[in-house]
C-alpha cells in the first residue's frame, strides 16, 4: 500500500508539461483537430505535434492538469497511476472558482485533454554533424471515469460530489513519481484571475529554470518562438502582442514580473522578462547544496524553503561521514531528507562527541539516525528506478545537469559531445552512468572511472 505523502507546501508541476508548450494559453481557441509547433527557447529546440477530435487543450485545461498532479502526489503517487477524487476536490486543487458553468467546463476540458495525443521531438547533433531525433508519443490522461448530469441549459456537467477517477499517462506519472518537478508560487497562482495569465506564468517558470537548477533573473525570448510555445494561433505580430498583453499586465500587477523590455520589430521582436528576485534563494546556498549532490531544481526549492538550516544540514552530513558505519550512497538525498524531515534526526550542531566518547544514549540516537537514512535511501532508490524506466533521451535530459557538473572539468568538448550523442541514442544510459559516477567519487575511484568512461566513449559504448 502506498504511504500518503504530506500535502506540498507549494504546488509542484512536472517539468516538461509546461516547458513543451503542449496546451495553448488562449482562453478561446477555434476547433483544430491537429497542429504542430517548433520553437527554440533558452537553447532548447523542441517540435510538438498534437492530434485531437475535440480540439487543442487550452486556457483552464492547464489548471485541471495542475490540480490532477497535486492530487496524485497527495494520494502517494499510486503505482496504478489513478487519481480518485471528486469534481469539487479537483476544482479546488486546480484553484478554479466555482460558478454556474464550472462543472460543464471541467467535463469538456478533461475530455479534451484525454482525446489529445502528443508527439514531442527533440533533436541533437552527433559529433560528425549527423542528426539524431528522439520522438515521444503519449497522452497526458489515459482514462476517465465520471458521473455527469444535465444542467439547466441542457449542457452535461460533472456531478460535483460524485466519484471522479482519472488515470494519468504513464510518462507523466513516472516523471512525477521520480520527482522531476519544480515548485510554483501558490500566492502568485491564487492572485492571477485569468487562465491565460496562469498558463503564461507556468510556461515562464518552466523556462526560467536551467538544467542545473539555477533560476534566471531574466529570460529573453523571440516573439515567434514564444508564440509557438504559448500556442497562439495567429502569426500576425500585432495580434500576438495583443494576446499576450493582458497576461503581461496581470503578471506585473501581482509582483511576478518587474519589467518587460521589448526590442526589435516584426518577427525579430524579442521580449525580455525581468523577474522580481527578492524571494529567490541565495545562489551561494544553492551552490552549496549542488556540491553535496542535490539535484538542480530541488536545490533551489530547498534553499528557498530552508535557508536558515542549510549550513546545519551540511554540518550534519559532514558529521555523518566522520561517524563511519554504513557508507552514504546518496548524500544529496540524505541532506534533502534531513531538511524536509528534521524531526527524524537527532543531531546537535557542534556537540556531536567523538566516537570513543559516545554514551549509550548517543549510540541509540545514532542508530535511529541511520534508520532514518535507510528510509531516505529507499526513497532515493525508488526515484532512481523510476528514472531508469524512462527512454534513454529522457534520462539524459534529466541527468544532463548533474553529469555535466561532474564531468565538464575532466572531459574535452569532443568527449562531452560523444557523451551526449551516446546517452541520447541509448548506447550509454545516463541514469546508470550518474550512479556509477557518484559511487566512484564516494569510494575515491574517480580517476579510474573517468579513464574507463573515456575508453567507452572512444569505442562507441
Amino acid at each position: 500500500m502506498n504511504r500518503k505523502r504530506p500535502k506540498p507546501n507549494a504546488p509542484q508541476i512536472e517539468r516538461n508539461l509546461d516547458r513543451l508548450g503542449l496546451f495553448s494559453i488562449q482562453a478561446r481557441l477555434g476547433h483544430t483537430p491537429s497542429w504542430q509547433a517548433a520553437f527554440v527557447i533558452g537553447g532548447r529546440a523542441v517540435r510538438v505535434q498534437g492530434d485531437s477530435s475535440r480540439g487543442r487543450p487550452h486556457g483552464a485545461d492547464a489548471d485541471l492538469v495542475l490540480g490532477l498532479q497535486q492530487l496524485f502526489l497527495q494520494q502517494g503517487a499510486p503505482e496504478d497511476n489513478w487519481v480518485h477524487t471528486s469534481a469539487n476536490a479537483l476544482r479546488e486543487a486546480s484553484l478554479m472558482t466555482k460558478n454556474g458553468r464550472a462543472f460543464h467546463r471541467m467535463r469538456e476540458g478533461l475530455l479534451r485533454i484525454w482525446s489529445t495525443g502528443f508527439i514531442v521531438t527533440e533533436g541533437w547533433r552527433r559529433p560528425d554533424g549527423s542528426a539524431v531525433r528522439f520522438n515521444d508519443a503519449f497522452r497526458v490522461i489515459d482514462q476517465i471515469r465520471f458521473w455527469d448530469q444535465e444542467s439547466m441549459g441542457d449542457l452535461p456537467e460533472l456531478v460535483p460530489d460524485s466519484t471522479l477517477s482519472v488515470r494519468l499517462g504513464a510518462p507523466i506519472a513516472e516523471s512525477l513519481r521520480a520527482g522531476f518537478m519544480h515548485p510554483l508560487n501558490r500566492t502568485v497562482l491564487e492572485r492571477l484571475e485569468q487562465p491565460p495569465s496562469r498558463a503564461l506564468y507556468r510556461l515562464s517558470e518552466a523556462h526560467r529554470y536551467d538544467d542545473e537548477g539555477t533560476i534566471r533573473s531574466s529570460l529573453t525570448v523571440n516573439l515567434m518562438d514564444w508564440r509557438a510555445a504559448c500556442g497562439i494561433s495567429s502569426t500576425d505580430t500585432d495580434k500576438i502582442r495583443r494576446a499576450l498583453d493582458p497576461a503581461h499586465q496581470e503578471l506585473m500587477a501581482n509582483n511576478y514580473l518587474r519589467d518587460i523590455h521589448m526590442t526589435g520589430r516584426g518577427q525579430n521582436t524579442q521580449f525580455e522578462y525581468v523577474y522580481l528576485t527578492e524571494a529567490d534563494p541565495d545562489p551561494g546556498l544553492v551552490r552549496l547544496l549542488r556540491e553535496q549532490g542535490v539535484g538542480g531544481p530541488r536545490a533551489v526549492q530547498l534553499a528557498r524553503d530552508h535557508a536558515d538550516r542549510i549550513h546545519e544540514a551540511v554540518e550534519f552530513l559532514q558529521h555523518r561521514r566522520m561517524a563511519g558505519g554504513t557508507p552514504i550512497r546518496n548524500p544529496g538525498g540524505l541532506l534533502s531528507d534531513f531538511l524536509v524531515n528534521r524531526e527524524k534526526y537527532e543531531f546537535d550542531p557542534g556537540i556531536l562527541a567523538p566516537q570513543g566518547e559516545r554514551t549509550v544514549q548517543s549510540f541509540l540516537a545514532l542508530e535511529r539516525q541511520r534508520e532514518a537514512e535507510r528510509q531516505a535511501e529507499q526513497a532515493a532508490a525508488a526515484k532512481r528506478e523510476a528514472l531508469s524506466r524512462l527512454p534513454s533521451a529522457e534520462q539524459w535530459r534529466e541527468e544532463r545537469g548533474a553529469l555535466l557538473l561532474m564531468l565538464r572539468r575532466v572531459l574535452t568538448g569532443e568527449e562531452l559531445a560523444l557523451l551526449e550523442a551516446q546517452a541520447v541514442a541509448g548506447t550509454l544510459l545516463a541514469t546508470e552512468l550518474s550512479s556509477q559516477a557518484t559511487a566512484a567519487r564516494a569510494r575515491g575511484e574517480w580517476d579510474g572511472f573517468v579513464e574507463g568512461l573515456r575508453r567507452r566513449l572512444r569505442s562507441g559504448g
Side-chain angles (χ1 to χ4, degrees), residues 100-101 103-105 107-108 148-158:
R101 299 188 63 189
F103 296 109
H104 168 69
R105 287 197 294 267
R107 181 187 186 277
E108 295 303 299
D148 65 8
Q149 62 189 4
E150 296 292 327
S151 65
M152 292 183 63
D154 293 329
L155 294 174
E157 62 179 25
L158 298 175

Side-chain angles (χ1 to χ4, degrees), residues 163-308:
T163 301
L164 168 66
S165 297
V166 181
R167 186 170 68 184
L168 296 179
I172 309 304
E174 289 175 3
S175 192
L176 289 167
R177 197 175 291 117
F180 304 131
M181 303 170 283
H182 62 259
L184 298 174
N185 188 311
R186 178 176 290 274
T187 301
V188 172
L189 276 174
E190 290 177 342
R191 286 179 178 174
L192 296 173
E193 296 182 358
Q194 299 303 317
S197 302
R198 294 193 294 269
L200 188 61
Y201 163 66
R202 291 193 296 266
L203 176 67
S204 172
E205 281 292 276
H207 289 284
R208 192 180 175 193
Y209 282 87
D210 68 15
D211 283 338
E212 295 185 12
T214 303
I215 297 183
R216 297 179 174 93
S217 59
S218 65
L219 175 69
T220 301
V221 293
N222 171 268
L223 177 66
M224 301 308 290
D225 282 327
W226 201 234
R227 176 203 73 86
C230 290
I232 296 174
S233 54
S234 176
T235 57
D236 182 283
T237 55
D238 288 334
K239 290 182 179 178
I240 297 168
R241 288 197 297 268
R242 286 199 295 270
L244 290 170
D245 187 61
H248 285 167
Q249 297 303 319
E250 194 171 5
L251 289 170
M252 293 181 69
N254 285 282
N255 297 321
Y256 173 66
L257 291 176
R258 180 164 59 84
D259 205 351
I260 302 174
H261 302 308
M262 188 173 68
T263 58
R265 299 181 63 184
Q267 295 191 359
N268 293 320
T269 300
Q270 288 192 322
F271 287 128
E272 181 189 14
Y273 292 125
V274 182
Y275 302 100
L276 279 171
T277 57
E278 292 144 4
D280 288 348
D282 183 340
L285 294 178
V286 175
R287 186 167 56 251
L288 183 60
L289 289 169
R290 294 287 288 147
E291 290 171 352
Q292 306 304 319
V294 180
R298 182 62 168 158
V300 172
Q301 182 183 5
L302 291 172
R304 178 190 289 123
D305 295 344
H306 306 285
D308 57 334

Side-chain angles (χ1 to χ4, degrees), residues 2-22:
N2 288 294
R3 185 177 70 251
K4 286 190 176 182
R5 301 180 185 181
K7 183 177 180 179
N9 293 326
Q12 302 285 312
I13 190 77
E14 198 277 336
R15 292 187 212 168
N16 293 314
L17 283 181
D18 285 335
R19 188 162 58 183
L20 295 173
L22 301 181

Side-chain angles (χ1 to χ4, degrees), residues 289 292-295 298-299 302 306 309 313 316-317 330-342 345 376 383:
L289 289 169
Q292 306 304 319
V294 180
R298 182 62 168 158
L302 291 172
H306 306 285
R309 292 198 289 108
F316 160 75
L317 192 61
N330 181 19
L334 175 59
L335 193 149
S336 297
D337 194 65
F338 179 87
L339 287 169
V340 175
N341 301 299
R342 179 64 178 87
Y345 299 88
K383 178 178 177 179

Side-chain angles (χ1 to χ4, degrees), residues 55-74:
R56 182 175 186 174
H58 59 276
D61 296 351
D63 293 330
L64 292 173
V65 174
L66 174 64
L68 286 171
Q69 291 183 60
Q70 308 320 299
L71 293 171
F72 180 73
L73 294 171
Q74 290 171 26

Side-chain angles (χ1 to χ4, degrees), residues 40-114:
V40 179
I41 297 174
R44 181 187 300 274
V46 175
R47 182 178 296 275
V48 177
Q49 193 176 333
D51 292 280
S52 173
S53 61
R54 293 173 175 267
R56 182 175 186 174
H58 59 276
D61 296 351
D63 293 330
L64 292 173
V65 174
L66 174 64
L68 286 171
Q69 291 183 60
Q70 308 320 299
L71 293 171
F72 180 73
L73 294 171
Q74 290 171 26
Q75 292 174 16
E79 293 295 331
D80 61 6
N81 302 339
W82 278 100
V83 176
H84 299 291
T85 183
S86 69
N88 246 334
L90 176 58
R91 180 191 58 77
E92 292 176 0
S94 303
L95 304 178
M96 298 172 66
T97 57
K98 186 176 182 179
N99 55 44
R101 299 188 63 189
F103 296 109
H104 168 69
R105 287 197 294 267
M106 288 177 65
R107 181 187 186 277
E108 295 303 299
L110 287 171
L111 289 173
R112 193 161 38 240
I113 299 165
W114 161 78

